[in-house]
Amino acid sequence: MPQVIFLPHETICPEGAVIEAEQGESICDVALRNDIEIEHACEKSCACTTCHVIVREGYDSLEEPDELEEDLLDKAWGLEPESRLSCQALVTDQDLVVEIPKYTINQVSERH
């Protein structure tokens, strides 16, 4: 099984995490299934940028983002060439190393 390795994030995942994932599962779903409360204001419908992540390793194993995702990513805070919306990036047969950016453009956190 492929693994998704989440790098430490100060508030969401301070220790980092190594999680086994199913092929075809989104990075966002992998995180949420393992109590990593990544923002997802649009409920994973590819309508915002709050679930933006940077795929530090394994980016080339992912399918190319479609035009809608690319347009949304242009609005993401801290955009990098390996940026993806975690709700759209589906795990393949290769391990991924993922960084959750420090900030989102979300005005209000979904966590209460």
Side-chain angles (χ1 to χ4, degrees), residues 13-104:
C13 186
E15 302 297 318
V18 178
I19 301 166
E20 287 194 356
E22 296 287 335
Q23 288 187 38
E25 186 175 23
S26 74
I27 293 172
C28 188
D29 285 336
V30 172
L32 295 171
R33 180 171 50 81
N34 288 276
D35 300 320
I36 298 172
E37 295 298 323
I38 191 167
E39 294 282 343
H40 56 290
C42 71
E43 295 300 319
K44 304 180 281 183
S45 65
C46 195
C48 72
T49 64
T50 59
C51 72
H52 167 231
V53 296
I54 302 162
V55 182
R56 295 291 181 200
E57 293 180 25
Y59 181 88
D60 290 336
S61 71
L62 302 173
E63 286 189 24
E64 292 287 322
D66 65 19
E67 189 174 333
L68 175 59
E69 181 181 356
E70 287 180 341
D71 288 347
L72 287 168
L73 281 169
D74 286 341
K75 302 172 187 175
W77 182 89
L79 183 67
E80 295 193 18
E82 295 82 21
S83 288
R84 291 297 304 265
L85 298 181
S86 66
C87 69
Q88 300 301 300
L90 305 180
V91 176
T92 62
D93 60 345
Q94 293 186 25
D95 293 348
L96 301 173
V97 176
V98 175
E99 177 181 349
I100 302 169
K102 186 172 185 175
Y103 302 106
T104 73

Side-chain angles (χ1 to χ4, degrees), residues 2-17:
Q3 294 182 326
V4 178
I5 300 150
F6 289 92
L7 298 175
H9 180 281
E10 186 177 319
T11 56
I12 297 174
C13 186
E15 302 297 318

